[in-house]
Amino acid sequence: MEIGMFHEFQCPPGHSEERAFAESFEQVDAAERWGLDCMWLAELHVAPTRSVASAPLAIASAIAARTSRMKIGIAVQVLPLCHPLRVAEEAATVDHISHGRLIFGVGRSGFPRTYQAYGVPYAESQERFAEVLEIIRRAWTQAKFSFEGKYHRFSDVHLVPKPWQKPHPPIRIAATSPDSYARIGQLGFPIFVAVRLGVLSELAPLIAEYHRAWRDAGHPGRGEIYLRVPVYVAETEERAYQEPRASIMQFYQEMAAIIAASADAAGTRAIENRAGRAERLSSVSYDEALREKLIVGTPDHVVTRLKALQAELGLDGILAEMNCGAQIPHAQVMRSLELLCKEVMPHVRN
């Protein structure tokens, strides 16, 4: 099982942007040193009390230059907000700088407020996502390509550089709603799943829909499943329970408010039931979250939880969100990451 860290380059209130970058790169350097498989970078915009990770490919380039082993993943590039040629060029460039260590995770984001800031209607996100993804694939794999779509048109474009990896870096797609699973399976891409808005027990039937659509579309083999989930590891049960508690609970309150505010936004659908999910999230207790949404505990406990989830869901890897809520002190995040790499990872790799 691939073990990665999901990183938002957090910048909570009271932190300067300089400190956010410095501490985040210290964690990246430690992850490389301690043997982590992959560093995953979020894309977040106009979130001054949360993150400085608005340009994940630029950060990925910096990580590529300061590391030599660890893979670098984007989780995710929000394709509807991108110019397709620009992002294809930049991602291919990172692939060269890293000597083929880029994993290109893509999605359309579940939060309309970023689209509002960019002046892009959220209702167009699915169509734009499909167009941009197709353009990027053509640009990477064809000497010259043309494209005629609803939002983008190109004629005889020769993209430079082509990616280091052939035919292109691995592409993984995030499921942002229940009906996304079958759609991604039909396309034949590995999938990111997460439980910020739900619980772990909801995932198995959705993943089954993904695998069914994969088979029905005639794709060979088996689709890969990668779980993004909050993880915290400490030497004792008491420390593991208490140290991330305030940060995690604050995160759920803030996330519930964001989801509630977007419940009636154009482009969201009744199938997502945002208002209901926001209400449940705002009232979740910490103990409920520990049972249903998080992986928190001693190294032995985390190993047991990961093995059980791997067996239940058929996981190929995790994206461990080590500082859910961005309020866990840097030194504690570093220690949790060290325990994950040194005392958990050796026992869950296949």
Side-chain angles (χ1 to χ4, degrees), residues 171 181-191 207-225:
I171 296 173
Y181 288 77
R183 187 162 57 249
I184 299 169
Q186 187 176 31
L187 291 172
F189 288 102
I191 193 171
I207 290 171
E209 287 294 322
Y210 164 78
H211 287 309
R212 188 176 301 112
W214 178 287
R215 292 191 302 269
D216 290 348
H219 298 298
R222 169 190 164 276
E224 297 176 351
I225 309 295

Side-chain angles (χ1 to χ4, degrees), residues 198-242:
V199 295
L200 290 164
S201 60
E202 295 177 341
L203 291 176
L206 295 171
I207 290 171
E209 287 294 322
Y210 164 78
H211 287 309
R212 188 176 301 112
W214 178 287
R215 292 191 302 269
D216 290 348
H219 298 298
R222 169 190 164 276
E224 297 176 351
I225 309 295
Y226 297 88
L227 172 66
R228 188 186 73 195
V229 60
V231 175
Y232 192 80
V233 194
E235 290 89 343
T236 68
E237 292 182 5
E238 177 65 17
R239 288 185 59 186
Y241 183 88
Q242 293 293 346

Side-chain angles (χ1 to χ4, degrees), residues 4-65:
M5 177 180 181
F6 175 77
H7 213 312
E8 294 186 349
F9 273 57
Q10 293 93 347
C11 189
H15 282 51
S16 68
E17 293 177 347
E18 292 82 2
R19 178 180 174 184
F21 279 107
E23 291 185 349
S24 295
F25 278 121
E26 186 177 345
Q27 293 165 18
V28 168
D29 294 344
E32 166 82 357
R33 189 167 63 248
W34 293 331
L36 190 74
D37 293 326
C38 187
M39 182 60 62
W40 291 96
L41 303 173
E43 179 184 350
L44 296 165
H45 298 279
V46 293
T49 61
R50 180 176 174 186
S51 170
V52 293
S54 59
L57 284 171
I59 296 174
S61 184
I63 293 173

Side-chain angles (χ1 to χ4, degrees), residues 304-328:
T304 299
R305 285 273 282 164
L306 285 176
K307 286 184 174 180
L309 285 170
Q310 185 180 31
E312 178 186 356
L313 303 177
L315 296 181
D316 295 279
I318 65 162
L319 293 70
E321 191 171 358
M322 305 296 294
N323 190 4
C324 182
Q327 301 297 315
I328 304 171

Side-chain angles (χ1 to χ4, degrees), residues 122-162:
Y122 189 68
E124 298 175 357
S125 62
Q126 285 194 20
E127 291 179 327
R128 286 181 176 272
F129 175 87
E131 278 199 11
V132 173
L133 181 59
E134 178 60 23
I135 292 164
I136 291 171
R137 294 176 69 193
R138 292 191 194 185
W140 281 347
T141 59
Q142 298 177 14
K144 286 199 303 185
F145 81 98
S146 298
F147 182 86
E148 189 77 20
K150 182 176 180 181
Y151 303 103
H152 303 283
R153 296 168 183 82
F154 302 103
S155 177
D156 292 332
V157 174
H158 188 147
L159 186 97
V160 177
K162 293 292 192 283

Side-chain angles (χ1 to χ4, degrees), residues 93-116:
T93 299
V94 172
D95 202 36
H96 277 273
I97 293 170
S98 68
H99 289 183
R101 290 183 284 135
L102 178 67
I103 303 173
F104 193 58
V106 297
R108 59 185 184 90
S109 175
F111 300 109
R113 67 178 185 175
T114 302
Y115 284 77
Q116 293 166 1

